Amino acid sequence: LALVRQGAVERRLADTRARAGGLVESEARYRQLVEASPEAIAVHRAGRLLSVNAAAAAPPAAADAATLPGRR
């Protein structure tokens, strides 16, 4: 009986480790997608910035709205 329990615990641990590894890979792909985006992306919690991508950190393209590219 003890061996059966030990085997079950080992399988659960292996499953948990496998899921955690998949989560780490998923988070890495998400980070790459956000960083590569030409759109400004910011992550915040309760108004406090946690992370921004390069596009969000870049200076604005114009001094004011009237001089924005594409504006007539």
Side-chain angles (χ1 to χ4, degrees):
L1 184 61
L3 290 177
V4 171
R5 286 185 186 163
Q6 182 179 359
V9 169
E10 289 173 357
R11 281 192 301 277
R12 284 185 188 162
L13 286 173
D15 289 346
T16 300
R17 287 184 185 122
R19 282 193 300 269
L23 180 59
V24 169
E25 290 174 10
S26 175
E27 289 174 346
R29 285 191 306 271
Y30 176 78
R31 267 189 234 96
Q32 289 173 346
L33 177 67
V34 168
E35 282 303 317
S37 175
E39 298 295 325
I41 299 174
V43 178
H44 72 91
R45 180 180 300 138
R48 180 174 177 223
L49 285 176
L50 302 177
S51 176
V52 297
N53 68 350
D64 61 27
T67 60
L68 283 172
R71 181 113 178 174
R72 295 178 189 198

